[in-house]
Amino acid sequence: MEGGGRPSAVQAALLAASAALTALLYSVYRQKARVARGLEGARRVRLDGDLRAVLMEAPGRCVPYAVIEGVVRSVKETLSSQFVENCKGVVQRLTLQEHKMVWNRTTHLWNDYEKIIHQRTNTTPFELVPPEEGAGVTVRVMKPLEAAELSMETVYEKFHPSVQSFTDVIGHYISGERPKGIQETEQMLKVGTALTGVGELVLDNTTIKLQPPKQGMPYYLSSVDFDSLLQKQESNVRFWKILTVVFGFATCAVLFFILRKQYRYHRERRHLKQMQDEFRQAQERLMREMNVEGGETLKNACVICLSNTKSCVFLECGHVCSCGECYGALPEPKRCPICRQAISRVVPLYNS
């Protein structure tokens, strides 16, 4: 505690940082909880012959947040893998990623560093169809790249190590960067993949479309079933809730520590003022009872026993207020009864 009972700068900074972090974690937790509640309240519809009738009866021919499961089928042509034969898909992502080691001048260690140097994503229109053949109902999937979770399978992955000469190695040690190589990856959403779509389901003329919802809820195109997707979101909610509670308790502990320090400071101040008032009242009362000569004697009397003569000088505060016997009876650590400052040493006082 600083003067006046105010918290120190370190305590104030710790309390502010802890409160800000708790507020940030609580905001993330609220967002995750809203997503989980939205998923839990999403309407589950079946991809069958009754789907068109369900949308016709819905307000605006639209279900704002719906869950539908089906199998991926291309509307027109399919995308062929560049590296795997007979691998067809509707979304293709090609990635070139650089891997290297970077020297950290602070820790004096080589750290792994990855950087995407090129990425290209190709798409073709596709739809979800029932697993059974001949159902005749399809759902066109719109804007798949905007999905918060787009399940794609890695169909090809190869690492091309860097070829380095001796001079290259010397140069890398001087520059602080050692290239390891280039990783080439191809991911695809293949035809025939079972997909769970969560989004806005709308009937546009004769076409049923699944598109990103307008209420700010996430758009999902996941290869896992809806129950697993919901369980994953609920696990995220629990994780962020636990973090929020832990840091909330830490914030409360810091605040309690600061308030406890302030309370003890003010209680000590009140106790000191009360003792000073009692000493002053006792002196005034005895001065009234004694004559002038007796009052002069009382002026030099010990403030503790009021009978012996003051004979001690307390350092470093410099107060002369106690006799030798009362000084010896003071509890450890010894403090001046006037200002409560710690007594480092005592000098005897001789009256001539």
Side-chain angles (χ1 to χ4, degrees), residues 96-287:
L96 289 178
Q97 191 174 36
E98 179 186 15
H99 293 259
K100 60 183 178 180
M101 304 287 288
V102 177
W103 177 256
N104 190 318
R105 300 182 185 277
T106 304
T107 61
H108 298 284
L109 295 173
W110 289 95
N111 298 327
D112 289 323
Y113 178 78
E114 300 175 358
K115 178 184 177 181
I116 295 177
I117 57 178
H118 179 72
Q119 189 175 76
R120 185 177 80 250
T121 303
N122 303 318
T123 62
T124 187
F126 69 96
E127 56 192 8
L128 297 179
V129 298
E132 315 84 31
E133 295 292 338
V137 180
T138 62
V139 174
R140 178 73 65 86
V141 179
M142 311 299 295
K143 302 178 180 179
L145 298 183
E146 294 185 12
E149 183 174 328
L150 178 59
S151 296
M152 300 179 65
E153 180 182 349
T154 301
V155 297
Y156 177 81
E157 186 174 17
K158 186 175 181 180
F159 184 77
H160 303 276
S162 299
V163 178
Q164 304 176 15
S165 63
F166 178 75
T167 56
D168 292 334
V169 173
I170 299 299
H172 296 156
Y173 272 96
I174 295 174
S175 64
E177 293 186 0
R178 288 163 44 191
K180 296 171 62 177
I182 303 295
Q183 183 174 355
E184 190 175 14
T185 306
E186 182 182 24
Q187 295 175 299
M188 296 192 71
L189 177 59
K190 296 195 295 186
V191 174
T193 302
L195 211 62
T196 300
V198 184
E200 183 182 67
L201 203 60
V202 60
L203 178 61
D204 185 9
N205 295 327
T206 59
T207 305
I208 303 175
K209 297 180 178 179
L210 179 68
Q211 58 191 17
K214 298 182 177 64
Q215 294 85 359
M217 296 297 293
Y219 182 36
Y220 293 101
L221 294 172
S222 177
S223 60
V224 301
D225 59 276
F226 177 70
D227 293 332
S228 300
L229 184 63
L230 180 59
Q231 184 178 3
K232 177 182 177 181
Q233 295 301 320
E234 290 175 345
S235 299
N236 287 336
V237 172
R238 286 192 296 269
F239 172 76
W240 288 103
K241 183 178 181 180
I242 291 173
L243 278 183
T244 303
V245 170
V246 169
F247 280 90
F249 273 119
T251 303
C252 292
V254 174
L255 180 61
F256 173 77
F257 174 78
I258 293 176
L259 293 178
R260 181 171 174 268
K261 286 284 189 179
Q262 287 184 323
Y263 170 74
R264 293 180 62 181
Y265 173 82
H266 289 295
R267 185 181 63 179
E268 185 176 347
R269 295 282 296 178
R270 285 197 307 269
H271 181 65
L272 176 60
K273 187 176 182 302
Q274 182 180 0
M275 289 181 59
Q276 291 175 344
D277 291 341
E278 291 177 355
F279 284 135
R280 186 170 55 254
Q281 291 173 5
Q283 287 180 340
E284 291 175 355
R285 184 172 58 254
L286 290 177
M287 286 290 292

Side-chain angles (χ1 to χ4, degrees), residues 286-297:
L286 290 177
M287 286 290 292
R288 288 194 300 268
E289 295 177 355
M290 300 177 63
N291 54 24
V292 178
E293 183 180 356
E296 186 66 24
T297 303

Side-chain angles (χ1 to χ4, degrees), residues 14 19 36 47 55 63 65 80 82 94 99 113 122 146 168 174 231 234 244 270 301 326 331 349 352:
L14 182 61
L47 189 56
L55 291 175
V63 178
Y65 208 46
S80 299
Q82 294 188 3
L94 300 170
H99 293 259
Y113 178 78
N122 303 318
E146 294 185 12
D168 292 334
I174 295 174
Q231 184 178 3
E234 290 175 345
T244 303
R270 285 197 307 269
C326 292
L349 177 66
S352 59

